[in-house]
Amino acid sequence: PYVVSEQELISLQYKTTDGKVLELDPENFNPAIAANKYGDLGEILFCGNLTTIHASAFENQHRLTMVDMPLGLSDIGERAFYNCNNLETVHIPWTVIRIGNYAFYNCNNLKEVYFYGRPPVLGSMTFSDRASESMVIYVPKEYYGYYQTGWGDKYSKSIIPF
């Protein structure tokens, strides 16, 4: 993915599948309009002071492959990445405390989810059953027990400490 330096921080940046790198304001961002104007979303790197990814914000972005969420983000809304069926990798910072219902549901190619802090509260059906069979959830080793206790029934075989 495209990486920016601290001097170049922006609110939202994404790389289209044809390699264009775009800088957009997340308050006025509509992925369907952006994809139509600039090309399909490929990789997203959030920067700046984003605290919430709203419900259905990136729903049905079929060419999205990677999302790197910003430090300071606390809430991932319902269906935020629903049906992003080519999404493979997600990085979720320690500041996230809640992930909404169906946030990553039907993301059946999701292979790796990286959490960097305590386990957030999960809504119902956050991840698809099909994805959870093969995806690996990487968690900090010091919080591994919390993940096993909180999410163990559904994801115990998927949780790996790092």
Side-chain angles (χ1 to χ4, degrees):
Y2 181 79
V3 179
V4 297
S5 69
E6 284 186 35
Q7 295 81 19
E8 300 173 312
L9 283 182
I10 54 172
S11 295
L12 169 68
Q13 181 172 31
Y14 76 86
K15 184 189 234 183
T16 61
T17 53
D18 63 357
K20 295 176 190 168
V21 176
L22 304 169
E23 300 175 3
L24 303 166
D25 174 11
E27 294 301 318
N28 300 311
F29 180 69
N30 180 316
I33 292 171
N36 187 43
K37 185 174 181 181
Y38 302 111
D40 288 321
L41 301 176
E43 300 172 352
I44 299 175
L45 172 64
F46 294 93
C47 300
N49 298 320
L50 187 65
T51 59
T52 301
I53 297 175
H54 295 287
S56 300
F58 295 94
E59 185 171 339
N60 294 318
Q61 293 302 307
H62 300 294
R63 294 197 180 173
L64 183 62
T65 59
M66 192 278 296
V67 177
D68 191 354
M69 298 179 191
L71 191 61
L73 182 72
S74 62
D75 188 54
I76 300 170
E78 293 186 11
R79 299 174 64 107
F81 295 91
Y82 180 88
N83 204 33
C84 292
N85 51 15
N86 285 307
L87 186 59
E88 296 179 355
T89 305
V90 176
H91 294 269
I92 299 174
W94 65 268
T95 54
V96 170
I97 58 173
R98 187 187 84 78
I99 301 176
N101 301 333
Y102 299 93
F104 295 96
Y105 195 79
N106 217 24
C107 297
N108 294 327
N109 288 312
L110 194 55
K111 293 177 177 60
E112 302 171 322
V113 181
Y114 293 86
F115 287 92
Y116 296 95
R118 293 180 181 266
V121 174
L122 295 182
S124 66
M125 304 300 289
T126 299
F127 302 102
S128 297
D129 290 338
R130 184 172 157 203
S132 62
E133 292 172 7
S134 60
M135 97 179 149
V136 177
I137 299 172
Y138 293 100
V139 303
K141 62 183 174 188
E142 62 268 26
Y143 297 121
Y144 177 72
Y146 292 105
Y147 282 88
Q148 284 292 341
T149 301
W151 298 1
D153 290 346
K154 186 148 186 137
Y155 303 111
S156 63
K157 294 179 183 175
S158 301
I159 300 171
I160 305 293
F162 67 89

